[in-house]
Amino acid sequence: MDLGQINPILLIASLMVASTPILLAALGELVVEKAGVLNLGVEGMMITGAVVGFAIGVNTGAPLMGFGAAALAGAALSLLFGFITQILKSNQVATGLALTLFGIGLSALIGKPYVGIKAPSFPRLDIPLLSDIPVLGPILFRHDLMVYVSLALVVAVWLILARTRAGLILRAVGENHAAAHALGYKVVRVRLAAIAFGGALAGLGGAYVSLVRVPQWTEGMTAGAGWIALAIVVFASWRPWRVLLGAYLFGGVTVLQLNLQAAAAQFPLASLPIIALLVLFWDSMSQQRRGLPLSTRRKVVYLAVVLVCLPATFLWWNVWTTFKVEFLSMSPYLVTILVLVLISVRGTHGAPASLGRVFHAST
Amino acid sequence: MSLIRLEKRPAPSALLSAATPVLAVIATMIAGGVMFWALGANPFEAIRTIFWDPLFDPTFGAYSRPQLLVKAGPLILIATGLALGFRAGIWNIGAEGQYIMGAIVGAGVGLALYPTETRWLFPLMVAAGAIGGWAWAMIPAFLKTRFGTNEILVSLMLVYVAENILASVSSGLLRNPEGHGFPGSRNLARDFPAASNPELIAGTGMHWGVVAAFAAVIFAYVLMTRHRMGFAIRLAGEAPRAARFAGVNPARLVLFSLGTAGAFAGAAGFFEVSGPAGQISIDFNSGYGFTAIIVAFLGRLHPVGILLAGLLMALTYIGGELAQLMLTMPAAAIQLFQGMLLFFLLAMDVFANYRLRFGTPEVA
């Protein structure tokens, strides 16, 4: 076990880089969902943004042009979704899935000539004075422009949603589209604007993957980041600051597992029985909360779980030592599932009431 | 007031519901033709290569005709299972993961018993594959029923987990010990007769997976039209409130539809790995689990529709390969083509669900 090779300052700094794509995409989707639209096409828009941003970045030599083009591409693709769901009133879940499948195909087609090319370098913006502060400097103030943009967007989205009239209208449309319509707000127009904003941010997030984080183009390179962004919106209970927290948490898991792969560290052996015991504890607590006594049947099940856990730990150890790389690579997805479960136990508070419902003005 | 308005139909038009998939295919052919033209190919030649040549070309037809059933089999089997959930508003989009896990478990059971030569081995492996897919689908199902966790995200996350497990076992646990260190398991189709899934009738592409797909279609048809569970599924999808009052148990519905879809996908994975693919390898899966979503919608979530849609989608796969070969078309073009098809289909549904009205509304 050699955790000493991991430098905590570099770890946190690279955490911010790893989180930025998810943060951007999740922030965009937050606004879309606040307007009452569920766009499951985030992955498709991200991957399209990744390839368009990369292509334009390589061709012009200017990464900023790439980011601009990626935002436009993401917005254009999202408006296709917007047209079909808002004007033609299709099912949002199915249309979002279609957008993802379409985007993956489109990006592979566009990206064919760009495989194996290196991205133009995107300079780091060291903020003078602040970047010289020990510890905090390298963590917070030695990043590229997009990291700062993503943080500024968190503030902007929060301010607009919470403090402005436009934000209030957007939330009204998302909470009760019939009432918003009756008050004279253009539900479809507000939603289309939100969808385009979400698409642009997903495109930016994708471009950040291909231009900065990796930095090159490979097919399917976003590898589920768009879906994780969707999970983060749920995790964040539809609040911008919690989106930031969630994105950085997931970025942390990603960076940590990459570092652990490099350091070939051993995973805590006891994780499986600990998880099992936590589940048992939790179950008994929820029984207690409901005021129910623990039945004999439950106690038998608990005993069985504990008995199974002992040989399972041994097995886990064997499997683990053979396949640690794969286990580490799947950890971000497992953590996402775990977080989703924890969130759903608490209950999905804060979901916009009209989320995913088709709006059709009867008059 | 705008000139064109949409007026909701009391019930979706049956005629248009059946006609929209056909219209969507035609629209996709036109838009696809434009895309092929933009890629520098003759659009008419490209469309003919995709939709006509695989079946009727004198030189390639003999090879590609059997491929139709080989590719349609898994698509139909998976889509039939998915459609049960989709009808009830339960969104299992992780069929790709269930398909991979079914293949791993099914092939794993067989490989553990290598070199047994008993005819009971194959059915045992089919069952193991189905159980593998079922178990993988039970994870989102259990989390959904116990904690109310969103099944869309969980089932999708599990696809990535399954892909990692596949990468791991194909170079570790299930690697061919006589394979000189190359990744990939023993070839079931070639080296292990008792575990192989051969072509049943020479020159047709018919294998046990295709038989299972047809059986699944009949099963789903009977279930949806004749069985209580089918009624519950339809009711829950069309009128959730009415379903609650009618005493439909939502948890049972989730467990049943996700479980069935998982078992079907798992079996499809096993049939693929023991037949057309031959072995567990890191890329044996060809995205059938995702394409099956398109097949389910294109078939209007109806078993017979899915049968036809699966055949059509298989045709685009084969035609796409042919277009790659003949017209040096990129492989991704056909993926885009399939995505487009789903878009057009969803867009055209508006005509089935709404009436177009021109001019300003009359005051009632």
Side-chain angles (χ1 to χ4, degrees), chain A residues 88 108-109 224 227 283 323 344 360, chain B residues 6 146 149 156 160 168 330 350:
Chain A
L88 300 181
L109 190 64
W227 295 102
D283 188 72
F323 309 123
S344 50
H360 176 61
Chain B
L6 296 174
R146 183 71 179 78
T149 314
L156 193 98
Y160 293 98
S168 161
V350 72

Side-chain angles (χ1 to χ4, degrees), chain A residues 298-317:
Chain A
R298 251 196 163 71
K299 283 178 188 157
V300 170
V301 172
Y302 286 3
L303 190 68
V305 170
V306 173
L307 285 179
V308 165
C309 263
L310 296 173
T313 311
F314 174 72
L315 195 71
W316 171 253
W317 167 247

Side-chain angles (χ1 to χ4, degrees), chain A residues 4-359:
Chain A
Q5 291 172 17
I6 300 173
N7 177 343
I9 293 178
L10 280 181
L11 193 73
I12 298 174
S14 58
L15 174 160
M16 292 178 72
V17 171
S19 312
T20 301
I22 316 176
L23 174 60
L24 285 166
L27 202 58
E29 180 66 15
L30 171 89
V31 172
V32 178
E33 292 193 11
K34 271 288 184 191
V37 179
L38 181 65
N39 185 354
L40 290 182
V42 184
E43 179 80 5
M45 300 185 295
M46 270 187 101
I47 192 93
T48 307
V51 73
V52 170
F54 189 81
I56 301 294
V58 165
N59 285 331
T60 60
L64 274 181
M65 292 286 287
F67 280 112
L72 284 179
L77 212 56
S78 73
L79 282 176
L80 192 60
F81 167 88
F83 176 73
I84 299 176
T85 56
Q86 302 306 308
I87 312 280
L88 300 181
K89 323 261 176 229
S90 73
N91 178 313
Q92 292 177 8
V93 173
T95 314
L97 283 175
L99 186 62
T100 289
L101 295 172
F102 181 81
I104 291 172
L106 182 67
S107 66
L109 190 64
I110 299 174
K112 207 84 198 156
Y114 295 96
V115 175
I117 300 178
K118 232 186 101 55
S121 74
F122 192 52
R124 231 174 52 189
L125 281 179
D126 291 1
I127 296 177
L129 294 177
L130 288 177
S131 62
D132 297 329
I133 304 171
V135 183
L136 276 184
I139 291 177
L140 289 177
F141 303 111
R142 289 187 198 167
H143 288 291
D144 55 77
L145 179 66
M146 288 310 291
V147 172
Y148 304 130
V149 168
S150 69
L151 292 173
L153 277 167
V154 175
V155 180
V157 165
W158 169 69
L159 272 179
I160 290 170
L161 282 181
R163 295 275 184 277
T164 67
R165 190 178 157 73
L168 190 64
I169 294 171
L170 186 105
R171 285 187 287 138
V173 165
E175 289 298 338
N176 189 336
H177 49 211
H181 175 72
L183 286 171
Y185 298 122
K186 307 284 184 203
V187 173
V188 170
R189 248 178 259 177
V190 170
R191 286 189 169 165
L192 283 175
I195 289 168
F197 178 78
L201 254 57
L204 278 183
Y208 194 82
V209 177
S210 63
L211 283 170
V212 183
R213 186 156 151 59
V214 175
Q216 57 175 348
W217 164 253
T218 46
E219 242 176 68
M221 71 184 304
T222 48
W227 295 102
I228 292 181
L230 278 160
I232 284 176
V233 178
V234 180
F235 166 80
S237 315
W238 292 266
R239 292 182 198 167
W241 289 106
R242 291 202 193 163
V243 165
L244 180 69
L245 178 75
Y248 277 23
L249 207 73
F250 280 86
V253 172
T254 313
V255 169
L256 196 66
Q257 64 95 355
L258 286 173
N259 275 280
L260 285 175
Q261 276 188 28
Q266 305 289 359
F267 196 63
L269 222 198
S271 55
L272 189 68
I274 287 177
I275 290 170
L277 291 177
L278 277 177
V279 170
L280 292 188
F281 176 68
W282 184 10
D283 188 72
S284 67
M285 286 307 283
S286 71
Q287 284 298 103
Q288 219 165 47
R289 220 180 25 242
R290 286 184 209 144
L292 299 170
L294 283 182
S295 63
T296 323
R297 211 179 114 217
R298 251 196 163 71
K299 283 178 188 157
V300 170
V301 172
Y302 286 3
L303 190 68
V305 170
V306 173
L307 285 179
V308 165
C309 263
L310 296 173
T313 311
F314 174 72
L315 195 71
W316 171 253
W317 167 247
N318 273 322
V319 173
W320 166 252
T321 44
T322 328
F323 309 123
K324 40 182 174 267
V325 174
E326 283 84 5
F327 273 111
L328 285 172
S329 337
M330 67 176 79
S331 60
Y333 309 110
L334 291 176
V335 169
T336 308
I337 294 175
L338 191 68
V339 166
L340 281 169
V341 171
L342 291 177
I343 291 302
S344 50
V345 170
R346 199 198 55 197
T348 43
H349 301 300
S354 293
L355 184 61
R357 279 168 44 209
V358 171
F359 171 69

Side-chain angles (χ1 to χ4, degrees), chain B residues 178-245:
Chain B
E178 289 151 27
H180 308 289
F182 284 104
S185 72
R186 276 180 208 280
N187 196 312
L188 298 174
R190 203 183 51 215
D191 306 331
F192 194 0
S196 76
N197 174 22
E199 198 175 23
L200 296 174
I201 308 165
T204 56
M206 190 79 159
H207 61 66
W208 284 113
V210 182
V211 177
F214 290 145
V217 168
I218 296 168
F219 164 80
Y221 184 82
V222 174
L223 181 86
M224 293 308 284
T225 53
R226 295 278 180 278
H227 196 271
R228 243 184 101 83
M229 187 52 101
F231 176 71
I233 287 174
R234 282 185 289 147
L235 194 60
E238 283 157 30
R241 259 172 73 80
R244 266 208 308 283
F245 289 125

